[in-house]
Amino acid sequence: MLLASAVVVWEWLNEHGRWRPYSPAVSHHIEAAVRAGPRAGGSVVLGQVDRRLAPYIIDLHSMNQFRQDTGTLRPVRRNYYDAASAPGQGVVWEWESDRGSWTPYDMDVGIAIQRAFETQRPCIDLSPVGFGYVIDFGTMGQINRQTQRQRRVRRRLDLVYPLATGAAGRAASWPAAPGAAAAAAAGPRAPPCSCPQCVLVRSVKARRPPAARRSAAPPAAVKGPPAQGPGATPPDSAGAGQGPGKPAPSSQAIRRQASPAAAGAGPAGCPASPPGATGKAGRVALATLDRTSLQRLALAQSRVLIASGVPTVPVKNLSGSSPVNPALAGITGILMSAAGLPVCLTRPPKLVLHPPPVSKSEIKSIPGVSNTSRKTTKKQAKKGKTPEEVLKKYLQKLRHPPDEDCTICMERLTAPSGYKGPQPTVKPDLVGKLSRCGHVYHVYCLVAMYNNGNKDGSLQCPTCKTIYGVKTGTQPPGKMEYHVIPHSLPGHPDCRTIRIIYSIPPGIQGPEHPNPGKSFSARGFPRHCYLPDSEKGRKVLKLLLVAWDRRLIFAIGTSSTTGESDTVIWNEVHHKTEFGSNLTGHGYPDANYLDNVLAELAAQGISEDSAAQEKD
């Protein structure tokens, strides 16, 4: 494929071995950093273009994605696709999860679906690309070949992925060769970087007296290129950990392995010098070294620099801390990443998930809320009413429907319903209007939608999400505890803290769940969540109690974090699970959180009127 007719899609490898595409906007952001060259540094902060990706940084040196709060490292790649395919047209195919969110298909799958769509095929079997599903373009649904369960799919337009330029198949310019660095330095100087890492390096240099700077020059054998701003030691390198199941080498073992290199000679007769010191030949030689040799080389550099009296900054690794010269921090980061040792030249803020220990006597009940815990069990759907009888309360039949599409089956309202599933007992050409929001659908389609839901006597408009009746969920049985502890949350210094503890055990899925009769897992329980013990915080708690009773806090589905299916997941009502920090976005301070969660509860049909109707 000619690069002139290709688009670049940046992808990351998930724990199931599947390459997942970044969005077009994120791919443009990464590609811009690659094309800017060494002057842009070697790190790409994804949160600058997508707030949901705030914890993630991409290290272009090692082609890894690093999550700053957990240290998780995942490979990334720069892949090419035909400009005439889905990513080249800005077409994204997505499927709807159990929580109503939309997830894009893998790029290869999306391209196959788009190709079938363009050729006007009625459906496409995804078995050849490794998925046991059929996409029906008539109903815009995804059908499980084994269970026949259907999900909605959609085709939407987004940005076109960036067009490929140049001949490199990936970000091969990292680390930059000395000649390239010199050429970049000849251009206009960019303003100094203000990231914490560069500020730290500059402050260390500024504190050194002139005599120390002259005496601290490293020997010629270890002389290397200066640090290149944030690219010198990309935060991603901090997560270049070992693969799962591989124990970290002990510090004593590493010292024994490194002893020959510490004497000044590198492994296999190579000098203990960074690859940049000898240009391309040095990098080629580095590629031939095994893990043990790379460990020796990295530690040898550190020891030579310590002996010469060069000021140091801490480097965090699996077996403790060792000092490394800031000027060679970038090279050392690359070496240690390749050796499987995560480096972190600027330690991230500490994750504080839980408050200090609290005794039983310090735990108090919440004013205005009776009891300190609540249990839920499986509630059976109300019997005795057919779907047609339920919908009759919310619909007005139309004799003369408007000439527009039914947004469920995508057929004209003046024509019969296009739904092809189990046959409801109503006529397929019957049309009704929802009484409160006024949206119009085939009654046939609404009955089918109700039958595929919780069948709890409620209905939610698929267009505007207006809820008719009392919406309930499919949360499995569990326990919710709530009380006040004598500590304050960041941003709320004048009040104590409400702690909520959710406990849900694993079990067997019921008829209302995705896979009845199959077991489900419950990861991360008990889950601790926090609210300020303020007037608004107590208001949120009362509404959360209503949501708990209606089984709307959790659901069973596929985890968007781990990809695990048939597991307990959050159900669109966000909780704060960090007590003393906000590294993951699930902590404090967050000035808008209480208002946001009230809006999320209202979207589930839960308001102050609901709290007044429910018992504490």
Side-chain angles (χ1 to χ4, degrees):
M1 185 196 327
L2 295 175
L3 291 187
S5 62
V7 290
V8 176
V9 177
W10 282 84
E11 300 169 318
W12 57 277
L13 187 67
N14 70 8
E15 61 274 12
H16 303 293
R18 290 162 45 196
W19 288 99
R20 302 287 296 142
Y22 290 104
S23 70
V26 173
S27 288
H28 274 278
H29 182 57
I30 302 170
E31 189 67 10
V34 171
R35 295 176 184 178
R39 291 172 58 195
S43 301
V44 184
V45 181
L46 302 187
Q48 293 176 348
V49 69
D50 188 337
R51 293 180 59 188
R52 295 170 300 178
L53 303 181
Y56 298 97
I57 293 176
I58 286 182
D59 175 18
L60 295 175
H61 294 275
S62 61
M63 292 293 282
N64 283 310
Q65 169 191 281
F66 174 62
R67 178 161 180 160
Q68 300 175 83
D69 53 337
T70 64
T72 303
L73 196 75
R74 298 186 187 277
V76 300
R77 72 179 182 183
R78 183 184 189 223
N79 210 358
Y80 294 118
Y81 294 94
D82 195 315
S85 63
Q89 302 176 50
V91 174
V92 180
W93 283 89
E94 300 174 319
W95 55 273
E96 187 180 32
S97 71
D98 296 329
R99 298 182 298 171
S101 59
W102 291 93
T103 303
Y105 286 96
D106 294 354
M107 190 56 67
D108 290 336
V109 179
I111 289 174
I113 296 173
Q114 175 63 15
R115 189 181 301 119
F117 180 82
E118 290 175 343
T119 56
Q120 299 185 347
R121 291 168 55 184
C123 62
I124 177 175
D125 186 350
L126 299 182
S127 299
V129 290
F131 294 89
Y133 300 101
V134 173
I135 305 297
D136 186 336
F137 295 118
T139 62
M140 289 299 280
Q142 171 189 278
I143 305 169
N144 188 309
R145 292 174 60 85
Q146 291 185 344
T147 66
Q148 296 302 305
R149 187 183 180 211
Q150 296 191 25
R151 293 182 185 272
R152 290 197 299 165
V153 300
R154 72 179 183 183
R155 175 183 181 268
R156 66 176 180 86
L157 294 180
D158 203 327
L159 292 173
V160 175
Y161 279 89
L163 288 174
T165 60
R170 52 178 280 176
S173 59
W174 305 100
R189 294 180 61 85
C193 181
S194 59
C195 76
Q197 180 175 308
C198 296
V199 171
L200 175 62
V201 172
R202 289 198 297 271
S203 65
V204 170
K205 292 179 179 179
R207 287 196 298 266
R208 293 166 58 197
R213 296 177 197 171
R214 289 192 297 270
S215 63
V222 294
K223 187 175 296 182
Q228 299 285 336
T233 316
D236 304 58
S237 301
Q242 298 164 254
K246 296 181 181 179
S250 67
S251 57
Q252 292 84 354
I254 292 179
R255 290 192 197 102
R256 285 196 299 269
Q257 295 170 357
S259 57
C270 297
S273 60
T278 55
K280 294 183 179 179
R283 287 194 296 277
V284 172
L286 179 63
T288 64
L289 301 181
D290 59 15
R291 177 190 173 96
T292 303
S293 301
L294 287 167
Q295 289 176 343
R296 291 175 180 173
L297 183 55
L299 291 173
Q301 290 177 338
S302 302
R303 295 185 179 186
V304 169
L305 295 169
I306 297 168
S308 67
V310 176
T312 60
V313 293
V315 176
K316 178 181 175 184
N317 58 43
L318 293 179
S319 57
S321 296
S322 63
V324 177
N325 175 272
L328 293 178
I331 296 173
T332 306
I334 297 169
L335 290 171
M336 296 185 74
S337 296
L341 300 173
V343 291
C344 179
L345 294 188
T346 52
R347 294 179 184 271
K350 186 178 180 181
L351 184 68
V352 183
L353 291 176
H354 303 294
V358 178
S359 64
K360 288 185 178 180
S361 61
E362 294 178 305
I363 296 177
K364 306 296 182 181
S365 59
I366 300 168
V369 180
S370 61
N371 303 319
T372 57
S373 66
R374 190 164 297 187
K375 294 183 178 180
T376 58
T377 57
K378 293 182 179 179
K379 295 182 179 180
Q380 299 297 324
K382 296 179 181 179
K383 302 294 183 182
K385 288 188 176 182
T386 65
E388 291 80 1
E389 291 173 328
V390 171
L391 295 181
K392 187 177 180 180
K393 299 186 298 182
Y394 311 133
L395 284 175
Q396 301 172 359
K397 293 183 180 179
L398 295 181
R399 293 185 178 181
H400 305 289
D403 187 19
E404 58 187 43
D405 287 342
C406 169
T407 56
I408 298 178
C409 69
M410 302 310 294
E411 296 289 344
R412 305 299 287 181
L413 290 168
T414 52
S417 167
Y419 178 70
K420 303 299 182 183
Q423 304 298 313
T425 59
V426 298
K427 296 179 180 179
D429 57 352
L430 192 63
V431 174
K433 180 174 75 172
L434 291 172
S435 57
R436 285 166 53 196
C437 64
H439 288 110
V440 181
Y441 306 96
H442 289 116
V443 178
Y444 196 82
C445 294
L446 287 173
V447 170
M449 185 181 76
Y450 181 85
N451 282 329
N452 287 330
N454 203 23
K455 302 178 187 175
D456 58 357
S458 71
L459 181 72
Q460 188 165 16
C461 174
T463 300
C464 65
K465 305 303 180 185
T466 298
I467 296 173
Y468 295 82
V470 177
K471 179 182 177 180
T472 61
T474 59
Q475 175 180 292
K479 182 179 181 182
M480 175 182 180
E481 302 174 74
Y482 40 93
H483 48 250
V484 174
I485 57 175
H487 298 291
S488 297
L489 292 166
H492 299 274
D494 300 328
C495 61
R496 299 176 300 174
T497 297
I498 297 172
R499 178 169 62 184
I500 304 171
I501 304 175
Y502 294 111
S503 300
I504 294 181
I508 304 297
Q509 298 181 52
E512 72 274 29
H513 293 137
N515 297 298
K518 186 177 179 180
S519 62
F520 67 87
S521 61
R523 311 292 185 193
F525 288 95
R527 298 186 184 182
H528 292 230
C529 308
Y530 304 95
L531 293 168
D533 185 26
S534 60
E535 181 179 354
K536 186 176 284 188
R538 289 191 288 271
K539 174 182 175 181
V540 169
L541 174 69
K542 292 178 181 179
L543 297 185
L544 288 176
L545 289 171
V546 176
W548 175 263
D549 290 338
R550 294 183 184 177
R551 303 173 67 196
L552 291 169
I553 300 291
F554 296 97
I556 294 177
T558 300
S559 170
S560 60
T561 304
T562 65
E564 181 183 8
S565 58
D566 298 304
T567 190
V568 179
I569 57 176
W570 293 106
N571 188 35
E572 300 298 334
V573 179
H574 286 84
H575 286 64
K576 293 296 188 181
T577 54
E578 286 183 66
F579 174 80
S581 59
N582 195 17
L583 299 184
T584 65
H586 303 303
Y588 294 91
D590 185 342
N592 299 320
Y593 169 66
L594 295 178
D595 290 328
N596 290 341
V597 76
L598 286 172
E600 291 172 347
L601 288 164
Q604 300 284 353
I606 299 173
S607 61
E608 290 187 81
D609 294 336
S610 304
Q613 295 171 5
E614 301 275 343
K615 292 183 179 180
D616 284 337

